[in-house]
Amino acid sequence: MDTSNDSSLYSFQETPSNEYYGNDFGSMNSGKQSQGSMGDFGSTGDAQNNFFAPAVETGVAEEYTSRPMTSIGAVGYRSEENKLNELPGGASTAPPLKKRSENSPAQMALEIEGEINVLIEKSAIACAKKDFTTALDHAKSAEKKERHLIRYREQKDLKEQNIDLTYAVQFNLARCYDANGMHTEALDTYTGLVKNKNYNQSGRLRINIGNLFFEQKKYLHAIKHYRMAVDQIMPAHHNNIRNKIRKNIGTAFVRLGQYNDAVNSFEQIVENTNNDVQVAFNLLLCYYALGDKSLMCKGFRILLNVQIPGLVKDDELESESKNVTHNRLRDYLMDKQRKHYDCIFKGAQLIAEVIESDWERGYDWVIEQLRSFCLKHEKCNLAAELEMAKALNYLKHKKFQEAIKALTAFEKKDKKLQARAATNLSYLYLLKNDIPNAEKYAKLSVEHDKYNAKALVNMGNVMFMKKNYAEAKNVFQEAILAEPDNIQAIYNMGLVSKKMKHLKEALQTFKRLYAIIPESIEVLFQIASCYQELGDHDRSIEWFNRLITRVPTDPTALYNLGTVYGIESDEAQSLNFYLESYRYYPINIRVISWLGLYFVKHEMYEKALSYFQRASQIQPEEVNWKIMVASSYRRIGKLTQAKKCYEDILLKYPEHKEGLEYLVQICHDLGLSKEEKDYKEKLEKLKLKQARQQGRSKNNLAPPNQDDDFLARQAAQFVPVGIHSPQQVAVQQDRQDTPQTPPNNAMRTPNSPVANVNVNDRLVQREDDDLLATLDSGDDLLMELGI
């Protein structure tokens, strides 16, 4: 229900100029205004009319026509008479203009009224131009001058007062107060007009008072005044106004959460005249809020039966659009038609999933209703649009095969729908990593419309997956040219530049995207990562700090920030951020490796032991972690536990030379001579076997001691940024089964896959590519699920 825009509330005489001017002013001044406005020119007009009157009445055209000879006796003629003063037809010269006498009090009052009308007109014009401050200034000036006029009439004993002018001044002032957000002053002014018994039609102003209370969220007061306005308006001649007031009442009840009362108001309107699609849509929303499935079906049928006055058939509008340009009436009707269809489609999507226990059957019922509707409107594609929505809804329920089947069915329909379906199919095949089919449907959608940014983004994704980065970059550039603010195209453009090692260009691209969506944590991460790869560690730290301000619990952001501090040789800060990363995500093998070796380097073996044990649990097949655990036990003096660890290693790897060497040493330290002898024999046999196989053992080591063992060698090779050191075990054992980031983590390392899939109007990430994919669904959502 569209209740967010309070300006949709009906307001009596919404445009101030309609209230003040035109025929209304002619009636309010009772003919005196025309006299006052003429002023000094009234007599001039009469003189001119008298001057031309004889000629018009007689119609004399022959100025020098001859006449019969008559007597020339004394009949008053004189030969020296100046005939220039005579006009054809015998008319004499016009009398001289009379001098204007001093204005009488009544005439002065009329002139002041004219000045007030001018001020009201200026105020209305300023209000129409949205210059509400200037409009209020003119309105106040008009009120001040009108009060002066009242005092003047009282002083001059002019009993007649122009109450219509007073009404116009006060109404205009109230409207200007309202426009400037001065609700208290506007209410006081409206209330004064309503209570004045001299104004018979002032009761309609209760609509404006109700609107003011509505804006202040005082809905009960608004409903009270709306109902009083309905009672004062006669239904015979103003039924349309009454329906609009009832619409306001229903909207106020919705804001209060009283859906049953709102339903009553909207049903009264629908029963009278079902020609307001917004009312029918609001009624459907109220039925939805009440949760009654049968009422929802009833409301949807009412919505389909709405008749828009003046709207002709669709095909006629389309034909006119081809031949007629700048037809404002046609544009208005087309706009109303689009809004009509938009309300129907939104209502269909709203109820489709809830009117049946099975959402698919609900969609089928609504689609059937829309097909019947489209039979009456040849250019209507709402049924096909909802079928597209149903196909995409399969994605929401993780039914990808059904979604592909439903979208494939559009190949036999309208070309526009084919292109949209191809875009979505390309997206789905990208999710399945089916590159050939993704490329096939991406090409189809691009061939239909080479300026379709969504199709171009999918085509660029295909090129990226095929590692054709140069071609992918060109396609993303075309997508940006077609739609300069396309988020996916810009982001993917930055990723491609990063892959091609054009780091400065990638940084510039991500900063451009940051200006569009500064709240995006992905963009923040990429900017910080670019600075990190460029070697600008100070700025990299700055942007990573911005990132963890937004996502303080993100382990990958903390991990990367610790890495940068490690490069800067700030071990304290590096340790702090690695510990924080481990706390939120304790299975990142790189973080665990760094922490374990850090504590070994600083001879804190008990702390190192816990991290090596966790690494051994994560990678049970990696023997080096078990050796580190055993070595840690030896360093803290727990030889029995160390002996057991080495024996476990030999059970799984009988020919592990270092394990045998350490067991010999431990048995010697514990005084287990018999076991020491056995392990020595095994060690000698292993050495002979390796010597025979390789000629000379390349891994032959001297017997280890407390200062020369596996753990000591690893600690000696420790670098504060250990994750980048090729000598470290964690990096050497970087395998596919090693978890890199948490499953639902919002951030990824610079080389980890990121793809945005927006099915539920949010950012979702997957781990098979680095791209932002696009989906064409029919709704204007953040990640391009739009028409």
Side-chain angles (χ1 to χ4, degrees):
M1 179 179 308
D2 186 11
T3 61
S4 61
N5 187 4
D6 295 339
S7 63
S8 63
L9 297 174
Y10 172 70
S11 175
F12 174 65
Q13 294 289 350
E14 188 68 22
T15 305
S17 59
N18 293 338
E19 177 67 23
Y20 315 141
Y21 312 111
N23 296 331
D24 293 338
F25 276 130
S27 61
M28 75 170 63
N29 292 324
S30 302
K32 297 179 181 178
Q33 176 62 28
S34 59
Q35 298 175 10
S37 61
M38 291 296 292
D40 299 337
F41 302 101
S43 58
T44 304
D46 294 339
Q48 290 174 345
N49 290 337
N50 292 334
F51 180 81
F52 287 106
V56 174
E57 291 176 1
T58 59
V60 177
E62 54 280 357
E63 183 177 355
Y64 302 104
T65 304
S66 59
R67 61 185 181 83
M69 181 70 68
T70 57
S71 172
I72 59 172
V75 292
Y77 290 102
R78 290 182 297 179
S79 60
E80 64 271 19
E81 181 71 8
N82 186 5
K83 295 184 179 181
L84 294 177
N85 291 330
E86 295 182 359
L87 293 175
S92 61
T93 58
L97 296 174
K98 295 180 180 180
K99 292 184 179 180
R100 176 181 174 182
S101 60
E102 294 183 2
N103 287 339
S104 63
Q107 189 68 22
M108 285 294 296
L110 290 176
E111 290 184 1
I112 296 174
E113 286 185 6
E115 295 173 1
I116 295 171
N117 285 328
V118 170
L119 287 172
I120 295 174
E121 184 175 356
K122 289 181 178 179
S123 175
I125 293 173
C127 195
K129 293 179 179 180
K130 308 298 182 182
D131 188 359
F132 300 123
T133 303
T134 304
L136 182 60
D137 292 339
H138 287 310
K140 287 182 176 180
S141 299
E143 184 199 25
K144 183 178 179 181
K145 193 172 286 292
E146 196 269 337
R147 288 180 180 177
H148 170 70
L149 175 61
I150 293 175
R151 291 195 299 269
Y152 180 80
R153 288 183 184 276
E154 291 175 352
Q155 291 173 2
K156 300 298 182 180
D157 197 22
L158 298 174
K159 297 181 180 180
E160 182 181 357
Q161 295 288 346
N162 192 342
I163 61 173
D164 292 331
L165 182 62
T166 304
Y167 178 87
V169 169
Q170 293 300 316
F171 179 79
N172 179 58
L173 181 62
R175 289 291 298 154
C176 291
Y177 278 139
D178 184 13
N180 283 275
M182 304 169 68
H183 299 309
T184 303
E185 292 82 354
L187 281 172
D188 293 340
T189 308
Y190 279 132
T191 304
L193 288 173
V194 170
K195 291 182 178 180
N196 194 328
K197 302 299 182 182
N198 293 323
Y199 307 131
N200 297 328
Q201 302 296 328
S202 63
R204 295 188 181 185
L205 295 181
R206 293 193 180 276
I207 303 173
N208 300 53
I209 296 174
N211 289 350
L212 286 172
F213 280 121
F214 192 99
E215 291 177 9
Q216 299 178 61
K217 299 184 179 180
K218 299 178 181 179
Y219 301 118
L220 291 176
H221 291 82
I223 292 170
K224 172 186 174 183
H225 285 277
Y226 287 146
R227 285 175 170 170
M228 293 173 68
V230 170
D231 294 338
Q232 295 184 15
I233 296 176
M234 300 299 294
H237 305 291
H238 304 286
N239 193 42
N240 190 34
I241 296 177
R242 289 167 62 88
N243 286 338
K244 291 182 178 180
I245 300 173
R246 289 194 185 99
K247 178 181 177 181
N248 291 0
I249 294 172
T251 305
F253 275 126
V254 169
R255 292 294 183 90
L256 290 171
Q258 300 178 15
Y259 299 111
N260 286 314
D261 295 324
V263 165
N264 293 333
S265 297
F266 292 137
E267 283 181 344
Q268 288 182 17
I269 303 172
V270 171
E271 290 172 0
N272 291 336
T273 52
N274 188 19
N275 59 4
D276 191 335
V277 68
Q278 189 64 52
V279 171
F281 182 69
N282 291 352
L283 179 61
L284 177 61
L285 291 182
C286 290
Y287 288 149
Y288 176 83
L290 293 173
D292 192 321
K293 297 180 180 180
S294 60
L295 287 179
M296 280 187 262
C297 295
K298 171 188 173 183
F300 188 68
R301 292 192 187 97
I302 292 173
L303 182 60
L304 293 178
N305 292 328
V306 172
Q307 299 295 329
I308 301 178
L311 186 63
V312 296
K313 292 183 180 180
D314 305 353
D315 54 345
E316 293 180 5
L317 288 177
E318 291 293 334
S319 61
E320 287 183 14
S321 64
K322 297 176 182 178
N323 302 321
V324 182
T325 58
H326 305 295
N327 188 330
R328 296 179 62 185
L329 177 59
R330 181 187 57 80
D331 293 341
Y332 168 77
L333 293 177
M334 291 288 288
D335 185 59
K336 292 203 64 153
Q337 184 189 62
R338 281 189 290 268
K339 290 180 179 179
H340 187 185
Y341 288 169
D342 185 56
C343 286
I344 292 175
F345 185 70
K346 288 179 179 177
Q349 282 187 306
L350 180 70
I351 69 170
E353 290 194 52
V354 296
I355 57 175
E356 296 286 349
S357 56
D358 182 8
W359 68 269
E360 293 185 48
R361 288 191 302 176
Y363 265 97
D364 291 339
W365 183 87
V366 176
I367 290 172
E368 191 61 33
Q369 296 294 320
L370 288 176
R371 283 174 180 166
S372 300
F373 177 80
C374 292
L375 289 175
K376 303 175 185 177
H377 304 78
E378 296 179 3
K379 303 296 181 179
C380 177
N381 290 323
L382 290 178
E385 293 283 350
L386 196 63
E387 288 178 1
M388 181 78 70
K390 179 184 177 182
L392 297 180
N393 206 42
Y394 280 119
L395 297 178
K396 180 180 177 182
H397 294 83
K398 310 298 182 184
K399 297 182 178 181
F400 298 106
Q401 292 301 325
E402 290 83 350
I404 292 174
K405 182 179 178 182
L407 290 171
T408 307
F410 283 92
E411 293 181 354
K412 299 179 181 179
K413 295 189 178 181
D414 181 73
K415 289 186 177 180
K416 184 177 180 181
L417 294 174
Q418 287 181 18
R420 286 183 55 191
T423 302
N424 295 336
L425 284 168
S426 174
Y427 162 79
L428 288 174
Y429 283 120
L430 275 172
L431 292 182
K432 296 178 66 176
N433 204 25
D434 187 347
I435 305 304
N437 279 322
E439 184 176 9
K440 169 188 172 183
Y441 287 104
K443 285 182 178 179
L444 284 176
S445 54
V446 171
E447 287 174 1
H448 177 267
D449 184 4
K450 63 180 181 180
Y451 299 108
N452 184 348
K454 301 170 189 176
L456 290 169
V457 167
N458 287 342
M459 177 60 74
N461 291 351
V462 170
M463 296 296 106
F464 186 95
M465 298 291 284
K466 294 172 70 174
K467 300 188 182 303
N468 189 351
Y469 300 126
E471 183 64 25
K473 186 175 181 180
N474 292 334
V475 175
F476 288 137
Q477 285 176 339
E478 292 179 13
I480 294 172
L481 289 175
E483 190 175 329
D485 58 347
N486 187 289
I487 295 173
Q488 294 90 341
I490 299 173
Y491 186 86
N492 293 350
M493 180 75 170
L495 290 179
V496 171
S497 299
K498 200 173 174 185
K499 281 284 187 181
M500 299 173 71
K501 300 303 178 182
H502 301 161
L503 297 177
K504 291 185 178 180
E505 183 179 346
L507 180 62
Q508 183 180 1
T509 303
F510 287 125
K511 282 193 172 182
R512 172 186 174 185
L513 188 58
Y514 177 75
I516 301 174
I517 46 173
E519 71 283 354
S520 172
I521 56 177
E522 284 81 5
V523 177
L524 285 172
F525 176 82
Q526 294 296 343
I527 293 174
S529 176
C530 286
Y531 277 125
Q532 181 181 0
E533 294 190 30
L534 286 168
D536 192 343
H537 300 139
D538 291 337
R539 291 191 179 182
S540 178
I541 290 172
E542 175 190 347
W543 284 91
F544 273 127
N545 279 320
R546 290 189 190 183
L547 178 61
I548 62 173
T549 303
R550 297 282 184 86
V551 280
T553 61
D554 186 86
T556 307
L558 295 167
Y559 162 80
N560 280 276
L561 190 54
T563 301
V564 178
Y565 275 117
I567 297 173
E568 292 290 303
S569 300
D570 191 344
E571 285 193 11
Q573 288 283 11
S574 185
L575 174 63
N576 175 54
F577 287 109
Y578 276 126
L579 288 172
E580 286 295 302
S581 178
Y582 177 78
R583 182 159 72 95
Y584 293 115
Y585 188 58
I587 59 174
N588 189 332
I589 201 67
R590 296 184 176 184
V591 174
I592 294 171
S593 171
W594 191 94
L595 290 172
L597 294 177
Y598 173 87
F599 288 120
V600 168
K601 177 185 176 184
H602 292 81
E603 299 183 357
M604 293 184 283
Y605 300 110
E606 290 185 354
K607 289 187 176 181
L609 178 61
S610 63
Y611 292 106
F612 293 143
Q613 287 175 334
R614 176 58 63 89
S616 179
Q617 293 172 358
I618 296 171
Q619 293 182 338
E621 301 298 324
E622 179 52 60
V623 67
N624 287 332
W625 297 126
K626 298 181 185 297
I627 293 177
M628 286 184 172
V629 171
S631 299
S632 298
Y633 276 127
R634 279 197 321 108
R635 288 301 182 97
I636 62 179
K638 295 183 179 181
L639 299 179
T640 304
Q641 290 90 332
K643 178 175 175 292
K644 186 177 183 304
C645 289
Y646 285 124
E647 288 174 347
D648 292 340
I649 294 172
L650 287 179
L651 287 175
K652 196 167 186 178
Y653 304 99
E655 296 184 353
H656 195 278
K657 182 180 177 182
E658 290 185 354
L660 286 170
E661 291 173 345
Y662 291 132
L663 279 172
V664 170
Q665 182 67 34
I666 291 173
C667 289
H668 175 76
D669 294 340
L670 292 174
L672 304 173
S673 57
K674 183 178 180 181
E675 294 185 20
E676 179 185 359
K677 182 179 179 181
D678 293 340
Y679 288 126
K680 279 185 176 179
E681 291 178 357
K682 291 181 180 179
L683 181 60
E684 292 299 328
K685 289 179 181 180
L686 180 60
K687 288 181 178 180
L688 291 173
K689 181 179 179 181
Q690 290 179 350
R692 285 195 299 267
Q693 290 177 352
Q694 301 179 6
R696 184 178 180 181
S697 176
K698 296 181 180 180
N699 296 321
N700 189 19
L701 298 175
N705 52 52
Q706 294 292 336
D707 297 321
D708 185 17
D709 61 5
F710 182 81
L711 190 61
R713 293 195 302 275
Q714 294 298 321
Q717 296 171 351
F718 174 75
V719 183
V721 201
I723 58 167
H724 296 298
S725 175
Q727 291 85 3
Q728 288 195 17
V729 175
V731 178
Q732 292 171 358
Q733 301 298 330
D734 188 13
R735 297 174 178 172
Q736 292 182 353
D737 59 344
T738 302
Q740 299 296 322
T741 50
N744 295 323
N745 184 23
M747 301 304 306
R748 297 290 187 272
T749 59
N751 295 323
S752 67
V754 178
N756 294 330
V757 180
N758 188 346
V759 176
N760 297 319
D761 194 16
R762 64 187 180 88
L763 224 57
V764 183
Q765 300 192 343
R766 59 188 175 85
E767 300 188 358
D768 54 357
D769 58 61
D770 271 339
L771 302 176
L772 295 186
T774 55
L775 182 64
D776 193 354
S777 73
D779 293 324
D780 290 327
L781 301 181
L782 175 64
M783 299 309 298
E784 304 253 354
L785 292 175
I787 296 177

